[in-house]
Amino acid sequence: ETGVTQSPTHLIKTRGQQVTLRCSSQSGHNTVSWYQQALGQGPQFIFQYYREEENGRGNFPPRFSGLQFPNYSSELNVNALELDDSALYLCASSSWDSQETQYFGPGTRLLVL
Amino acid sequence: SQQGEEDPQALSIQEGENATMNCSYKTSINNLQWYRQNSGRGLVHLILIRSNEREKHSGRLRVTLDTSKKSSSLLITASRAADTASYFCATDSGGSYIPTFGRGTSLIVHP
């Protein structure tokens, strides 16, 4: 157990809808990263938040957005859902001073119909 | 895009045997890490090896890094059924510590 929690564990949405996924980081960690993992693939970096600001972004369109709160928890929002957004969404926390080691939550499995 | 590529894609062994997985990458790195993932759940960090290191051990795990060949290997000795999982290598490079993952090796250990 890493101490990183995510909610919900599973979610089913229809194309065009919006979704919000939540993550609570491990105690003492101030940096949160989000990843998308399609079936049979490795995780793909979406973005990272540090001190409530986006600190880096992967190759994902603007309809993927996020927030980090003062307690370092975070949200991932996806608008205008597409079928290809079906995936496992992973949140990982780290400390800014030791960013190379990230601790992952159990993930949220999203199915878009 | 994937930076690291694991080989083989799938590996099936008997309990007690050793399992070796390889990872190749394309550009110079700062660090290389190995993660384990059970049944589509979260990733568990196994070991980190820095670019100036050649070998690290952690329990039954041994990781080697050959920067001249841009490759790494993960050896799991005396495997157990509980080692059944997908194993990913991840690299970071330049000024970014964001890890880039490969597609993983699926390991099945038969009891």
Side-chain angles (χ1 to χ4, degrees):
Chain A
E1 294 293 328
T2 63
V4 180
T5 61
Q6 291 186 244
S7 63
T9 55
H10 296 82
L11 202 52
I12 300 175
K13 291 284 189 178
T14 56
R15 194 170 47 183
Q17 285 188 315
Q18 178 265 343
V19 69
T20 297
L21 310 181
R22 296 178 175 82
C23 170
S24 292
S25 57
Q26 183 167 310
S27 177
H29 286 178
N30 53 16
T31 304
V32 175
S33 302
W34 285 92
Y35 295 81
Q36 180 195 66
Q37 186 179 20
L39 202 60
Q41 303 292 317
Q44 297 288 308
F45 173 69
I46 303 175
F47 42 56
Q48 181 185 75
Y49 277 82
Y50 171 64
R51 289 187 174 178
E52 302 176 51
E53 292 194 3
E54 189 178 289
N55 184 56
R57 189 178 184 94
N59 190 25
F60 281 82
R63 59 188 185 85
F64 285 79
S65 63
L67 285 172
Q68 187 182 30
F69 300 99
N71 67 353
Y72 306 126
S73 66
S74 177
E75 286 183 355
L76 165 65
N77 298 289
V78 187
N79 293 322
L81 284 167
E82 301 176 0
L83 298 180
D84 286 348
D85 295 334
S86 295
L88 181 68
Y89 288 85
L90 295 163
C91 160
S93 74
S94 59
S95 68
W96 183 254
D97 297 337
S98 185
Q99 292 179 61
E100 64 272 17
T101 301
Q102 301 193 350
Y103 297 85
F104 283 80
T108 293
R109 187 162 296 282
L110 173 65
L111 177 62
V112 182
L113 301 175
Chain B
S1 63
Q2 314 275 165
Q3 155 75 312
E5 290 295 336
E6 293 88 344
D7 173 67
Q9 287 187 345
L11 183 59
S12 180
I13 60 174
Q14 295 295 130
E15 206 165 33
E17 295 181 338
N18 294 341
T20 299
M21 288 158 269
N22 301 297
C23 170
S24 59
Y25 55 91
K26 298 173 184 173
T27 63
S28 296
I29 61 170
N30 300 322
N31 307 288
L32 186 144
Q33 303 182 65
W34 286 91
Y35 287 84
R36 185 186 75 227
Q37 184 177 41
N38 291 81
S39 302
R41 296 184 56 79
L43 279 75
V44 175
H45 182 261
L46 296 177
I47 201 163
L48 178 151
I49 188 165
R50 303 192 187 278
S51 60
N52 61 352
E53 297 175 313
R54 292 297 167 257
E55 186 171 315
K56 286 189 86 168
H57 296 81
S58 177
R60 294 184 295 114
L61 306 180
R62 173 178 170 253
V63 169
T64 61
L65 178 65
D66 187 336
T67 53
S68 67
K69 295 181 179 178
K70 291 186 171 61
S71 67
S72 172
S73 67
L74 169 66
L75 168 67
I76 304 174
T77 59
S79 63
R80 306 166 181 168
D83 294 328
T84 294
S86 293
Y87 292 81
F88 294 90
C89 72
T91 59
D92 62 79
S93 59
S96 170
Y97 290 105
I98 304 298
T100 303
F101 289 83
R103 288 189 171 88
T105 291
S106 176
L107 172 67
I108 297 175
V109 181
H110 299 279

